[in-house]
Amino acid sequence: VQLQASGGGLVQAGDSLRLSCAASGREFVNINMAWFRQGTGMEREFVAAVTYSGASTIYADSVKGRFTISKSNAKRTVSLQMNSLKSEDTAVYYCATRLPRVVGALRTGISDYNIWGQGTQVTVSS
């Protein structure tokens, strides 16, 4: 599986933005997906994750209620809809997955994922 993130840009606080991550490979239908982000000078942090079926999701507290992750197996994409953006959401956003798929609850640690996209920059001006 290879991942390609897109959709980043420069927006103002309060605006919305939708990130997309396109995946290659037939394994996509069987894998959980996640978004992480990394601000300048900061450690990479978990944002959201979705199960292989798209049925279950989890979010970091900082984005809960504002961001929505979704997975389309038909389109082989995972999206991150970001609403009510804040300056502190400024970061490079990465999509990630793990093969083979981990059975059980969705994971939030960086080391739980071993395949990463290249990242897309999101800048929120206040």
Side-chain angles (χ1 to χ4, degrees):
V1 173
Q2 290 185 320
L3 305 175
Q4 180 78 29
S6 63
L10 172 62
V11 296
Q12 294 187 337
D15 285 352
S16 298
L17 201 59
R18 186 176 182 88
L19 305 183
S20 184
C21 178
S24 63
R26 289 175 293 178
E27 304 94 337
F28 185 75
V29 297
N30 296 317
I31 57 177
N32 301 332
M33 294 292 300
W35 286 95
F36 286 76
R37 67 186 182 186
Q38 187 168 17
T40 302
M42 301 177 66
E43 294 186 353
R44 192 169 299 189
E45 64 176 3
F46 171 79
V47 175
V50 60
T51 55
Y52 67 98
S53 66
S56 296
T57 57
I58 57 172
Y59 297 91
D61 288 343
S62 58
V63 306
K64 201 171 295 182
R66 300 188 298 123
F67 290 12
T68 302
I69 187 172
S70 58
K71 186 173 186 271
S72 171
N73 288 328
K75 297 180 181 180
R76 292 185 181 176
T77 59
V78 60
S79 299
L80 185 68
Q81 177 66 42
M82 306 185 293
N83 298 329
S84 302
L85 282 163
K86 306 175 181 179
S87 58
E88 50 262 46
D89 295 318
T90 295
V92 177
Y93 284 71
Y94 300 88
C95 52
T97 189
R98 181 182 182 88
L99 280 174
R101 176 166 62 93
V102 176
V103 178
L106 289 168
R107 308 296 178 91
T108 63
I110 295 172
S111 60
D112 293 320
Y113 297 86
N114 58 6
I115 300 173
W116 295 82
Q118 87 289 4
T120 185
Q121 175 71 48
V122 173
T123 303
V124 184
S125 63
S126 56

